[in-house]
Amino acid sequence: METNENGLSIYGLGGMQEIGKNMYAIQYGNEIVVVDCGNKFPDESLLGIDLIIPDIQYLVENQDKVKALIVTHGHEDHIGGIPFFLKKLNVPVYATRFTLGLIELKLKEHKLLRETELIEINADSNVQFEQMNVEFFKVNHSIPDCLGIVFRTPEGTVVHTGDFKFDLTPVNDQHSDIHRMAEIGKEGVLLLLSESTNAERPGLTPSEQMVGHHLEKAFMDAEGKIFVSTFASNVSRVQQVIHAAAKTNRKLALVGRSMVNVIGVAIERGYVTVPEGMLVDQNNINEHAPEKVVILCTGSQGEPMAALARLATGNFRGIDVLPGDTVILAAGPIPGNERSVTTIVDNLYALGANVIYGSGVTTGMHVSGHGYQEDLKLMLSFMRPKYFIPIHGEYRMLVQHRLLAEAVGVERGHTFIMKNGDVVDIAHQEASHTRKVPAGNTYVDGIGVGDVGNLILRDRKQLSEDGMLVIVLTMSKAKKDLISDPDTISRGFVYVRESEELLNEVNRRIKQTINELKEENKMEWKSIKQQIKKSVGEYVYSKTKRKPMVVPIIIEI
């Protein structure tokens, strides 16, 4: 495979033309440093799949060169694939204090914590490899302790922004280090990788402070219980819920596994402060008057097994949404989740709840953690890169980000819109995009990683749409004759009692097929199965316009 052994290379292994499963790699000479290893959740077409993680085949093939994994922040789309990565590439993991706390939770679950070297970094850290020096700078996002990364190489400086926005009044006082960004840009940036999630949205991202005021007003107006659903990782939002609960003299219960785990880490490490006596166990909620309780729960994206979905259908043991209760969705739906969220809102209204939902602009209950167009232009203006790679966005967002870059001075033709697996090589300060490495999706299904591919997914899709016909044939091993009539079993195809005529004809055609094969002296079991699948499939389709999976089983006697 062609390489750029003596130069600088940037690999987009995930997060290119998609939102989720971020993974990038920077290589200089014989050293590769990986940035982030996230996951994304499957859509309804990926039946049975639990998670999608990046394909790390190229890194495994070059594992002697992989020196470290550096993590920009603790969101699932940046850390969710780490346990699977470490099972194949046990390299040191560098991350900030809060991010390490979230990674540790995952490694404990996968029994990897003892075997993994975790190294805490901050904005002032400096990590020296043989040919690359790595520095960091603070950025503001919707989770604490976020960093941008600066790679100093003999070829030039590469900057990865991480996820960011410019919030001048952050709730957690974690300001973006604007002065440091300006210094890095003044020193010269050869290449910038910058996130593109909100590249289509004009203006500046609103401040998180706005949400706090709206939460307090909603809490004061509420009469019964208050349910707030948001991302567990949005620690600033959780802190504002705690402030609003304190002002209205309410107790707080955490509901949902990820909410309990993440906020547990945040409290333990000092990122969230809870007044003494405010937290109550979810099993003790009913001991308090409804107007004295706030329930902070997971499920703002409509996940069917999360707490909010179960509350909306009355299937959460010990906690009920009653007429007059208030439910606040303090998170915007990620594209693709709108239908699931709408279903939950309908169910909550049917229970008589007062539901505050919709875009953050209309309700004031959510602001994005990703920069709008003016934020993105500000980052580009600070860094002033010679070359630019927009990342972390769908294709239209990357194109829009390229236009923003050109508007603030990046030369036309110096922006690379990459797909997963694409590589940008830089030699003598000149960048080119001419090669690819293996990359794509690895599916996690139960405890299986990568063992479910397109053929299995195609079979699952066929089974889910048209069902299956199992045909059991009892045959003589010696004479290869049918000993009894075929037994045809329908699952998800037709209801047997209402389709006796159809199934009788199927059995007749099976017998006919076997007789024809016997006359032609083609009685190998493989041939019999193939011909039965073909004959039955064609007949069933002609009568029903359905294509069930036909599974012949031969029992030899």
Side-chain angles (χ1 to χ4, degrees):
M1 184 182 293
E2 183 189 352
T3 60
N4 185 27
E5 287 290 340
N6 299 315
L8 174 65
S9 298
I10 291 84
Y11 300 82
L13 301 176
M16 317 305 295
Q17 299 188 20
E18 63 180 346
I19 296 177
K21 72 175 183 66
N22 292 278
M23 176 180 267
Y24 316 92
I26 314 295
Q27 178 174 3
Y28 187 86
N30 286 318
E31 288 185 324
I32 297 175
V33 177
V34 181
V35 178
D36 292 339
C37 182
N39 67 18
K40 71 176 184 179
F41 294 101
D43 60 30
E44 56 198 20
S45 69
L46 296 174
L47 300 162
I49 300 301
D50 300 317
L51 292 175
I52 306 169
I53 58 175
D55 179 352
I56 60 170
Q57 178 186 338
Y58 178 77
L59 297 176
V60 171
E61 289 172 356
N62 293 272
Q63 56 188 298
D64 56 317
K65 299 176 184 176
V66 180
K67 304 303 177 187
L69 170 64
I70 301 177
V71 184
T72 58
H73 65 284
H75 277 146
E76 283 294 312
D77 58 339
H78 296 260
I79 69 169
I82 289 177
F84 307 100
F85 175 89
L86 291 174
K87 286 174 185 176
K88 295 192 174 181
L89 292 161
N90 191 6
V91 298
V93 179
Y94 293 82
T96 54
R97 188 161 174 264
F98 184 67
T99 306
L100 280 183
L102 300 181
I103 293 171
E104 283 174 15
L105 287 176
K106 293 185 174 299
L107 298 186
K108 280 179 189 171
E109 192 178 318
H110 287 260
K111 297 182 173 56
L112 291 170
L113 189 55
R114 287 185 179 180
E115 303 163 24
T116 305
E117 184 182 0
L118 299 175
I119 301 169
E120 185 178 320
I121 55 173
N122 57 43
D124 299 320
S125 298
N126 191 303
V127 181
Q128 182 67 53
F129 299 102
E130 281 185 24
Q131 295 173 291
M132 284 191 278
N133 184 58
V134 184
E135 303 166 8
F136 306 92
F137 57 94
K138 284 184 190 174
V139 293
N140 180 265
H141 186 40
S142 55
I143 189 171
D145 281 6
C146 299
L147 294 177
I149 308 174
V150 184
F151 294 89
R152 307 283 191 187
T153 78
E155 185 67 46
T157 297
V158 176
V159 175
H160 185 299
T161 65
D163 289 0
F164 73 94
K165 66 175 181 177
F166 288 100
D167 188 343
L168 302 181
T169 55
V171 174
N172 57 11
D173 291 328
Q174 293 196 355
H175 294 78
S176 301
D177 194 343
I178 292 172
H179 299 294
R180 176 85 179 104
M181 293 178 203
E183 283 175 13
I184 294 164
K186 196 172 181 182
E187 291 163 4
V189 173
L190 177 61
L191 174 74
L192 174 69
L193 295 94
S194 181
E195 70 126 325
S196 313
T197 311
N198 279 335
E200 298 173 292
R201 302 176 75 170
L204 282 162
T205 314
S207 171
E208 183 70 27
Q209 294 274 10
M210 180 188 84
V211 177
H213 302 313
H214 286 89
L215 277 171
E216 286 178 18
K217 184 177 185 311
F219 275 43
M220 288 174 180
D221 292 343
E223 295 176 358
K225 295 191 293 296
I226 299 174
F227 296 83
V228 181
S229 184
T230 190
F231 294 110
S233 59
N234 196 336
V235 171
S236 299
R237 189 78 43 84
V238 171
Q239 187 67 68
Q240 293 191 106
V241 170
I242 292 166
H243 289 325
K247 283 196 173 183
T248 51
N249 196 26
R250 288 177 181 258
K251 299 289 186 183
L252 178 69
L254 304 177
V255 173
R257 182 166 168 260
S258 63
M259 186 66 73
V260 171
N261 287 343
V262 173
I263 301 309
V265 170
I267 292 170
E268 175 194 325
R269 301 196 174 208
Y271 293 89
V272 165
T273 305
V274 185
E276 193 172 338
M278 175 182 279
L279 273 183
V280 296
D281 189 274
Q282 69 177 64
N283 297 317
N284 302 329
I285 286 171
N286 294 328
E287 295 175 9
H288 303 274
E291 65 275 9
K292 294 295 181 184
V293 174
V294 178
I295 295 154
L296 188 57
C297 63
T298 55
S300 61
Q301 297 305 305
E303 305 94 315
M305 295 308 294
L308 187 63
R310 289 185 287 142
L311 286 163
T313 52
N315 290 323
F316 201 102
R317 190 174 63 187
I319 308 175
D320 295 313
V321 178
L322 301 174
D325 287 348
T326 298
V327 181
I328 300 169
L329 272 68
I334 293 170
N337 293 345
E338 295 90 349
R339 185 184 299 175
S340 302
V341 173
T342 302
T343 299
I344 287 175
V345 170
D346 283 342
N347 291 339
L348 290 167
Y349 271 122
L351 293 172
N354 170 34
V355 189
I356 301 173
Y357 71 100
S359 71
V361 177
T362 55
T363 66
M365 294 299 179
H366 176 66
V367 296
S368 178
H370 301 273
Y372 289 11
Q373 288 182 350
E374 297 306 313
D375 302 69
L376 301 181
K377 288 197 285 188
L378 191 55
M379 178 65 79
L380 283 156
S381 298
F382 282 139
M383 294 298 169
R384 294 181 289 179
K386 180 178 180 181
Y387 294 104
F388 175 54
I389 300 176
I391 58 173
H392 197 309
E394 293 167 0
Y395 187 78
R396 65 187 187 280
M397 302 167 188
L398 305 185
V399 171
Q400 188 62 50
H401 203 174
R402 179 185 68 192
L403 297 175
L404 296 175
E406 291 172 358
V408 296
V410 175
E411 190 176 324
R412 183 171 292 186
H414 280 204
T415 298
F416 300 96
I417 295 181
M418 297 164 64
K419 296 178 181 176
N420 290 336
D422 285 356
V423 185
V424 168
D425 292 318
I426 304 177
H428 311 297
Q429 303 282 303
E430 295 299 319
S432 61
H433 171 201
T434 58
R435 65 187 176 103
K436 292 177 69 74
V437 297
N441 294 332
T442 297
Y443 299 123
V444 179
D445 185 355
I447 61 170
V449 180
D451 58 344
V452 174
N454 290 330
L455 287 175
I456 291 175
L457 288 171
R458 187 190 67 191
D459 286 349
R460 288 181 181 179
K461 188 170 187 291
Q462 185 180 0
L463 284 166
S464 71
E465 291 176 349
D466 294 316
M468 69 187 298
L469 274 176
V470 179
I471 298 163
V472 181
L473 304 170
T474 306
M475 300 188 72
S476 164
K477 187 173 185 180
K479 295 183 179 180
K480 299 197 174 180
D481 290 331
L482 271 175
I483 292 174
S484 61
D485 285 344
D487 185 10
T488 303
I489 304 163
S490 168
R491 290 289 181 268
F493 170 53
V494 291
Y495 184 48
V496 174
R497 289 184 184 175
E498 296 176 356
S499 308
E500 287 184 13
E501 189 178 326
L502 176 73
L503 296 181
N504 286 339
E505 180 60 22
V506 166
N507 288 343
R508 192 191 69 75
R509 285 179 176 255
I510 293 168
K511 292 178 190 174
Q512 181 183 329
T513 300
I514 291 172
N515 289 334
E516 288 172 359
L517 287 171
K518 196 165 187 180
E519 287 174 10
E520 296 170 14
N521 200 23
K522 295 180 180 177
M523 290 301 284
E524 298 88 2
W525 296 142
K526 186 178 180 182
S527 297
I528 293 171
K529 288 182 178 181
Q530 285 176 342
Q531 283 303 115
I532 286 174
K533 284 173 76 170
K534 183 182 178 187
S535 172
V536 171
E538 288 174 354
Y539 171 71
V540 165
Y541 183 74
S542 71
K543 292 296 181 183
T544 66
K545 292 295 183 281
R546 300 180 202 168
K547 293 182 178 179
M549 182 176 288
V550 179
V551 183
I553 298 172
I554 298 176
I555 299 172
E556 300 175 74
I557 294 178

